[in-house]
Amino acid sequence: MQIPNVAEKWSGEVIVVTIGATKEEGGTRQKVVKVGGASCIPFMDFEGNPGHKPAIAMDVLDTPPEDLPPALLEPFKDVISNPALWAKKCVEEHGADLICVKLDGIHPDKGNKSAEEAVKVVRSILQAVGVPLIIWGCDDPQRDNEVMPKISQATKGERCLLAAATQDNYKNIAANCMADGHNLVTLAPVDVNIQKQVNILVSDIGFPLDRIVMFQTTGALGYGIEYAYSIQERERLAALSGDKFLAMPVLCNVGYESWRSKEAKAPDEEAPGWGRAAERGPLWETITAATLIQSGVDILRMYHPKAVAAIKKHIDALYANGN
Amino acid sequence: MSKENHSYKVHFLPHDREIVVQEGTTVLEAAHEANVYISSICGGMATCGKCKVVVEEGHVESPPTILLSPEELTNNYILACQARVTSNLLISIPPETRIEGGQILLSSEETLGVTAGKIHGLLPGVEYKHDPLVKKIFLELEPPTLDDNLPDYERLKRAIMLKEGISMEALEAGLEILKGLPACLRQNREDRWRITATVAQHGLMQEIIHIELGDTTQAGWGLAVDVGTTTIVTELLNLATGKALDIEATYNSQMKWGEDYIQRIMYAQERNALEDLQKSVIKDINGLLSILLARNHLKSEDIKAITCSGNTAMIHFLLVLDPTLIRKEPYIATANFIPTLKANELGIKIYRHSPLYCLPSVAAYVGGDITGGAMAIGLDQEEVLCLFIDIGTNGEVVLGNKEWMVCCSASAGPSFEGSGVRHGMRASSGAIERLDIAEDLSLSYKIIGNGQPRGICGSGLLDTIAALLRSGAINKSGKLLKGNSPRIRETEEGLEFLIVEAAQSTTGSDMVITQADIQNLIRSKAAIYSAVATLLEAMHLKPSDIQKVYLAGGFGSYLDIRNVITIGMLPEIPTDRIHFVGNSSLAGARLSLLSQEAFARVKDIASKMTYFDLMSNPRYMDEFISANFLPHTNPDEFPSVYQELAAKHPAFR
């Protein structure tokens, strides 16, 4: 008996976004990272092209974080006050595809650092590593509007990924990214319709669709992962069905969200029955990432080297195509 | 003497009415007592800022408020709901705060009256037999003789039977009629007893509610009432000619207890305040009634019948029926078909035996305003697939034809009725009813009646959103784009768009549409669109399957159909299929009053319509968010809007 071929035929595919620019392209990166390109549901590669492998961006903070759980501080304790060395360690020792510079320090409540200081940090990281950068504001609209244009200008030509444009605050950052040749993260908290609306608004001012990465906010394991999962799954299905305003690659903030959960950060003495904190935290991050990958994710922002190693192995296995 | 015993005179201008109130009474309460109507939407919660009045003489105790500008404060403006009387006062009520009536124009079908024994619905060909629920019958009775010794009551019933064909068994009367009958009949000094009996339908029975000497058949009046969540409209009708004589409307005073009826139900339940809500709506109706009576030189006894159409919750409030079960699963009303009641029992000041008829509901969230509207447009007789939408505080949608009808209800909010919008108002004199912005960004508008604008009504607001979008003053999220128009300016509360400068408006201050107004209007249109989309999807139909669309609502006499689609309130349907029918709820009440056939048809429609619950439908919220965009999050669904706007605006290319 012949088994019928039940493979789905999809009419659309995820747009390929290129992050980083080499010397030839006007930047200083040693390599670029391409994300997107899938024309099938994740890992159903008999239906189409699975696209580029999900890339892993490791977070580096511009200002030393105060309350990191010990298990998370441990691998970075020697570099925690030096973002450039921190980034270098992430790339050289832990194999990060991208560095995500999180500019927490510019937030009014977390130091209110000047744009010049932020630019200095970003420049030092650009010099220290050869991978492309994601540069993320502090999520305070006013401060972001002051600082992000300066960051954009200072990194002109590097084709970074800047974050984030929202429905209420998109023009400033989008206009700067457009002028300086960067990619842009569009953010809509857990709502596929609003995500699409932000993408339309950004494209209305002339921003090219192939320079957008979508971010729905992320829920960690046990903290709303199902919401993030189903929204991302809907976005991927919309992209494959030909909706060009939802066809951009998707980013997840796995590290920060996972390590906010008490299951990840509770020290051994507080939760002796939960297993060793040094293992538990990275596991929580790993499982969050592994689950979300299944919904269709192109960039994972992560924290812990052990989780990064596990997920890299996992991705390689998924993309080994049966070998 | 204790302090509470101080009382002061409050004199209101331009009404020139005076009232004596206790110290500490608010100016708003004083105005209500003096029957001076002051615009107030929040009903004394100090949130709407509509009740601005000017203290000309005297002083009040008034807490600080951000709702008055520094300029207004120096000109002695106060909020009537917050200011307490502490001396004799002379208060003048500025034009924008006055609720002025009598300025809604009657439409041609309303004033047409009976032709060839028929009254007319809202569309050509929709006609019902003129046969009022309450009618006056002129009778000439033979006085009794020894040969014909039938008693007076039976004699009366026999005469009615002979004249109208109503069987004697179906006729009833109350004690008061019986008691007065012999004397009334014998006032006749002639050989025959000439009297007029007023007979009211009462279920399957007919009740004799009034008898009087002589032929007064032309002197019988009735009242049709649209009891809306935001607006109450009353229409005075001559029962014999079928003509509408006058119309009057007001905002529903229950708004002080919440913008939508769910909030009001919660308030009634939590505060045990159902009776307060009922008294409030009765007071509104009586207030409108007294204006209509005075203007038309009639007495309250002259009104012999009243029909009410309204959503299920409003009818519950009107009748003091417990509304709490309406909002709890499985959403059960006390009754869909309300029996014939006495208006008098409810406190409505008309002839004491006059009946009150309520148009029947379909479900907890689809009421007599919709069944009546469907009857008025003859939806149940249509061959082709029709969509009927009533845009009110609730947007109700009916889909169907003579074979089947499904309906649903979505909470749209009162913004298209002019409430919840800074310079919004009802469609009455002085309202901007249409508006356009030309290529050169110059703005033009048309006002209902003559004179200078007082505010913007629903159709004008709808035009405003479309014009702002077309001219690029707002983006597809509805956000005002500073720099895209010289009329956009920044205030402490955010951006706003200048529509009329102070010098050109009666209010003496700039008329604007604010960012918050625009957002409210977009939410309202999104609620309507998503109700339509969800209902279509549930029936596996596409917008293109709809052959006729009937849009109803208190927009006044005009609605730009193209703009309804441009802003994405309706899916793209060829505009020649879309018809604006005005206030169909009121038409339902009017036709029912004038035609027993029409009233029977409403009942038939109510029993045939299938209710579709949006609240339990997960698609609805999704549709709603995607409709919260101009025209819609899916551009593919609005190709002609994109095509039209592309010429004017790069964002649509």
Side-chain angles (χ1 to χ4, degrees), chain A residues 168 170 193 196-197 204 234, chain B residues 475-476 479 622 633-634:
Chain A
D168 294 323
Y170 64 91
N193 288 304
K196 184 168 172 181
Q197 291 167 13
D204 279 354
R234 275 187 66 185
Chain B
N475 69 10
K476 291 174 190 166
K479 295 276 158 35
D622 201 39
T633 307
N634 296 325

Side-chain angles (χ1 to χ4, degrees), chain A residues 153-297:
Chain A
Q153 287 147 26
T155 55
K156 183 168 181 165
E158 294 285 2
R159 198 150 60 194
C160 301
L161 174 59
L162 266 55
T166 63
Q167 194 174 27
D168 294 323
N169 189 28
Y170 64 91
K171 273 203 289 190
N172 181 309
I173 192 167
N176 278 286
C177 283
M178 195 151 65
D180 299 324
H182 296 302
N183 301 299
L184 176 65
V185 172
T186 55
L187 161 65
V190 210
D191 192 304
V192 66
N193 288 304
I194 293 174
Q195 179 70 66
K196 184 168 172 181
Q197 291 167 13
V198 184
N199 293 345
I200 292 175
L201 293 173
V202 167
S203 97
D204 279 354
I205 61 170
F207 199 88
L209 295 182
D210 64 357
R211 275 161 54 189
I212 294 174
V213 171
M214 302 191 286
F215 177 48
Q216 285 285 320
T217 65
T218 303
L221 179 63
Y223 294 82
I225 195 170
E226 59 275 35
Y227 291 97
Y229 188 100
S230 58
I231 289 289
Q232 287 167 188
E233 184 181 50
R234 275 187 66 185
E235 278 174 356
R236 184 52 46 100
L237 291 174
L240 297 176
S241 306
D243 189 336
K244 64 173 181 162
F245 287 114
L246 285 173
M248 300 80 179
V250 169
L251 177 146
C252 274
N253 188 2
V254 173
Y256 173 74
E257 292 296 338
S258 301
W259 285 91
R260 281 209 308 167
S261 70
K262 69 173 185 295
E263 288 84 350
K265 70 182 176 193
D268 288 340
E269 56 274 19
E270 259 179 44
W274 286 3
R276 285 181 48 235
E279 298 297 328
R280 183 173 6 101
L283 265 177
W284 209 263
E285 186 177 354
T286 305
I287 294 169
T288 299
T291 308
L292 289 170
I293 284 175
Q294 214 64 32
S295 68
V297 176

Side-chain angles (χ1 to χ4, degrees), chain B residues 151-158 171-173 178 181 208:
Chain B
D152 291 353
Y153 178 52
E154 284 79 1
R155 184 168 298 275
L156 173 68
K157 293 214 287 186
R158 182 178 68 185
L171 281 163
E172 278 286 1
L178 273 186
L181 186 60
I208 304 161

Side-chain angles (χ1 to χ4, degrees), chain B residues 299-314:
Chain B
K299 297 190 297 295
S300 56
E301 284 72 35
D302 293 330
I303 308 296
K304 292 293 192 297
I306 175 166
T307 48
C308 292
S309 69
N311 62 53
T312 315
M314 295 313 301

Side-chain angles (χ1 to χ4, degrees), chain B residues 348-365:
Chain B
I348 297 176
K349 290 177 186 153
I350 57 176
Y351 172 61
R352 63 192 175 285
H353 294 305
S354 294
L356 177 136
Y357 304 93
C358 293
L359 273 60
S361 300
V362 179
Y365 297 107

Side-chain angles (χ1 to χ4, degrees), chain B residues 284-477:
Chain B
D284 287 343
I285 293 174
N286 282 334
L288 293 171
L289 184 65
S290 64
I291 296 169
L292 290 174
L293 293 175
R295 214 154 50 201
N296 293 278
H297 311 292
L298 293 174
K299 297 190 297 295
S300 56
E301 284 72 35
D302 293 330
I303 308 296
K304 292 293 192 297
I306 175 166
T307 48
C308 292
S309 69
N311 62 53
T312 315
M314 295 313 301
I315 296 299
H316 276 60
F317 289 137
L318 180 72
L319 306 183
V320 217
L321 303 176
D322 180 9
T324 49
L325 294 173
I326 288 179
R327 61 174 273 267
K328 286 187 191 148
E329 226 179 69
Y331 317 114
I332 299 302
T334 301
N336 281 346
F337 294 82
I338 307 285
T340 310
L341 304 170
K342 296 279 184 212
N344 180 270
E345 284 179 282
L346 302 173
I348 297 176
K349 290 177 186 153
I350 57 176
Y351 172 61
R352 63 192 175 285
H353 294 305
S354 294
L356 177 136
Y357 304 93
C358 293
L359 273 60
S361 300
V362 179
Y365 297 107
V366 175
D369 45 349
I370 300 310
T371 54
M375 177 271 288
I377 61 169
L379 186 71
D380 61 325
Q381 305 296 306
E382 289 276 5
E383 301 280 344
V384 298
L385 183 66
C386 299
L387 183 69
F388 165 48
I389 304 173
D390 189 4
I391 301 164
T393 314
N394 273 277
E396 287 98 346
V397 178
V398 185
L399 185 67
N401 55 23
K402 63 190 269 192
E403 309 285 338
W404 54 272
M405 283 178 275
V406 291
C407 59
C408 69
S409 170
S411 182
S415 58
F416 280 106
E417 292 173 74
S419 172
V421 173
R422 172 93 60 89
H423 290 111
M425 66 179 284
R426 280 186 291 108
S428 62
S429 155
I432 294 180
E433 65 167 346
R434 54 206 304 184
L435 184 146
D436 198 19
I437 300 173
E439 302 260 340
D440 62 355
L441 298 180
S442 66
L443 191 143
S444 58
Y445 52 79
K446 185 178 172 300
I447 300 162
I448 301 179
N450 297 314
Q452 294 188 320
R454 289 202 299 147
I456 317 165
C457 70
S459 57
L461 291 165
L462 198 141
D463 281 2
T464 304
I465 302 291
L468 290 174
L469 181 66
R470 221 176 263 133
S471 68
I474 53 175
N475 69 10
K476 291 174 190 166
S477 281

Side-chain angles (χ1 to χ4, degrees), chain B residues 232-264:
Chain B
I232 297 178
V233 191
T234 52
E235 188 169 67
L236 180 67
L237 294 148
N238 184 307
L239 296 170
T241 64
K243 283 186 183 170
L245 303 173
D246 203 350
I247 188 167
E248 188 62 69
T250 183
Y251 279 125
N252 187 334
S253 312
Q254 288 177 345
M255 273 156 78
K256 68 181 130 191
W257 294 298
E259 230 172 44
D260 65 54
Y261 58 67
I262 297 292
Q263 288 170 304
R264 293 182 208 167

